[in-house]
């Protein structure tokens, strides 16, 4: 969720089981933040940031600390976003010729899937019969 | 010789460039069709919920991204209601909607398999603005205006 920190809209990740706030060192600046969206296990957090006076969608990978900026063609600015639960797609609301549009981006070449808890993997176990 | 070096440099640069997001051109074309405007996207595993405007009126719309077809939502869109926010569960079965109707802003849960709309009361009362379902569709976070400030309420769903 977004909360005010030192007067700046900043994304905050709170663990629902115990209420603790998880650190997001990759997202400590580039405020204001808006439109946060999480993958299944909260490995990935997508959010709109502000850099150099322009809005930029980014995906933070909490497992390895990497940030993935997602610049839009034509320098368009994102307004809202939604990350697919497995983080393989992102939907972005943008403005195009005065109208709102929703555009889909395929992230499968950038991000490993964040699979739902308990989902069996298709890779056979070592030593398993073919 | 310089041409060979240039080609080699380009090949190396392309080979070393980081992977980039790819626009889903096929689906983006579909999303532009038949609506004058579309906003408030919410992605499930193979579903996209959004608010699409046709003939000056906004409606909640659900698209099956795998089959590339819109999905009917019988009983959800009313002629006397204006949707404000929508969120879909990962399996596309549940949609949470904030809508304005008769000067009242209400929070709804729609179950697609039974075509049923359930109104979800807020305690203490407040004005819902934006909604987000978790992937399993069992928990809902809703941004609520109360006494001049924003709260986020968590609601457990059966």
């Amino acid at each position: 969720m977004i909360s005010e920190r030192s007067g700046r809209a900043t994304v905050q990740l709170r663990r629902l089981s115990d209420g603790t706030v998880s650190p997001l060192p990759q997202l400590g600046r580039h405020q204001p933040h808006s439109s946060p969206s999480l993958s299944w296990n909260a490995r990935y957090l997508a959010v709109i940031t502000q850099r150099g006076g322009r809005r930029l969608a980014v995906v933070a990978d909490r497992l390895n600390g990497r940030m993935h900026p997602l610049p839009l063609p034509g320098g368009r600015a994102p307004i809202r976003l939604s990350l697919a639960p497995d983080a393989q797609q992102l939907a972005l609301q943008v403005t195009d010729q005065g109208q709102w549009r929703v555009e889909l981006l395929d992230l499968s070449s950038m991000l490993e899937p964040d699979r739902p808890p308990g989902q069996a993997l298709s890779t056979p176990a070592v030593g398993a019969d073919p | 010789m310089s041409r060979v070096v240039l080609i080699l440099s380009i090949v190396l640069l392309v080979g070393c460039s980081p992977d980039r997001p790819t626009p889903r051109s096929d689906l983006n074309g579909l999303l532009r069709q038949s609506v004058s405007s579309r906003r408030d996207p919410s992605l499930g595993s193979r579903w996209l919920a959004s608010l699409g405007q046709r003939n000056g009126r906004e409606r909640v719309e659900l698209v099956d991204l795998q089959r590339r077809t819109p999905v009917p939502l019988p009983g959800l869109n009313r002629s006397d209601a204006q949707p404000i926010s929508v969120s879909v569960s990962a399996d596309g079965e549940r949609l949470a909607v904030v809508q304005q109707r008769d000067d009242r802003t209400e929070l709804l849960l729609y179950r697609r398999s039974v075509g049923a709309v359930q109104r979800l009361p807020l305690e203490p009362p407040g004005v819902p603005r934006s909604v987000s379902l978790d992937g399993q569709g069992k928990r809902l976070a809703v941004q609520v205006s109360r006494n001049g400030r924003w709260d986020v309420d968590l609601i457990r769903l059966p």
Side-chain angles (χ1 to χ4, degrees):
Chain A
M1 63 181 178
I2 301 294
S3 60
E4 290 285 323
R5 200 171 71 188
S6 306
R8 297 187 299 176
T10 304
V11 67
Q12 186 184 77
L13 182 61
R14 191 174 287 268
R15 191 184 297 273
L16 294 180
S17 55
D18 58 12
T20 56
V21 175
S22 298
L24 296 167
Q26 311 100 304
L27 291 165
R29 51 201 184 119
H30 303 304
Q31 289 98 337
H33 299 154
S34 62
S35 195
S37 184
L38 283 169
S39 62
W40 269 116
N41 303 293
R43 172 176 174 177
Y44 299 106
L45 170 62
V47 67
I48 296 173
T49 62
Q50 184 98 11
R51 293 196 191 186
R54 300 189 64 175
R55 278 182 289 187
L56 176 70
V58 300
V59 179
D61 185 341
R62 296 177 58 241
L63 189 66
N64 59 24
R66 287 186 65 186
M67 282 277 279
H68 300 273
L70 304 171
L72 288 171
R76 287 175 299 166
I79 297 166
R80 289 184 71 90
L81 61 73
S82 175
L83 185 65
D86 63 1
Q88 298 299 281
Q89 288 190 99
L90 185 84
L92 281 166
Q93 179 186 335
V94 298
T95 305
D96 182 20
Q97 297 175 343
Q99 299 288 339
W100 283 319
R101 304 274 179 229
V102 170
E103 299 198 354
L104 289 170
L105 296 177
D106 184 345
L107 307 182
S108 60
S109 64
M110 294 173 54
L111 306 177
E112 290 178 344
D114 190 13
R115 294 190 172 85
Q119 187 185 70
L121 298 175
S122 57
T123 307
V126 176
D129 292 334
Chain B
M1 179 65 185
S2 60
R3 185 174 289 179
V4 173
V5 171
L6 180 66
I7 291 171
L8 203 61
S9 304
I10 290 170
V11 168
L12 283 171
L13 274 174
V14 169
C16 295
S17 64
D19 291 323
R20 290 185 171 277
T22 320
R24 297 284 311 266
S25 305
D26 50 341
L27 288 166
N28 290 339
L30 173 74
L31 294 174
R32 274 189 220 108
Q33 286 172 8
S34 69
V35 292
S36 56
S37 175
R38 188 181 295 280
R39 68 179 179 96
D40 207 39
S42 171
L43 272 175
S45 295
R46 55 179 266 204
W47 311 94
L48 174 73
S50 62
L51 304 180
Q53 189 176 64
R54 300 161 194 252
N55 304 321
R57 192 170 155 252
E58 274 195 318
R59 300 164 54 90
V60 177
E61 297 193 351
L62 185 67
V63 175
D64 182 337
L65 299 176
Q66 211 166 67
R67 295 184 177 175
R68 300 176 189 182
T69 54
V71 177
L73 301 169
L76 179 59
N77 288 297
R78 297 174 53 118
S79 58
D80 59 348
Q82 162 77 39
I84 295 170
S85 174
V86 64
S87 181
V88 66
S89 59
D91 63 1
E93 161 62 14
R94 294 177 168 207
L95 287 97
V97 177
V98 175
Q99 72 173 19
Q100 188 150 24
R101 186 177 151 225
D102 294 338
D103 296 330
R104 193 176 60 196
T105 308
E106 52 191 14
L107 175 63
L108 308 174
L109 180 68
Y110 179 76
R111 292 181 173 88
R112 205 158 58 84
S113 58
V114 288
V117 178
Q118 177 187 0
R119 192 165 166 262
L120 302 174
L122 293 172
E123 285 298 333
V127 180
R129 171 63 186 83
S130 179
V131 69
S132 176
L133 267 177
D134 75 343
Q136 293 177 314
K138 298 287 182 161
R139 271 190 298 209
L140 188 151
V142 57
Q143 182 184 345
V144 181
S145 172
R146 278 194 190 98
N147 305 318
R149 56 168 281 171
W150 290 115
D151 291 333
V152 174
D153 287 8
L154 290 174
I155 299 173
R156 237 175 235 284
L157 302 170

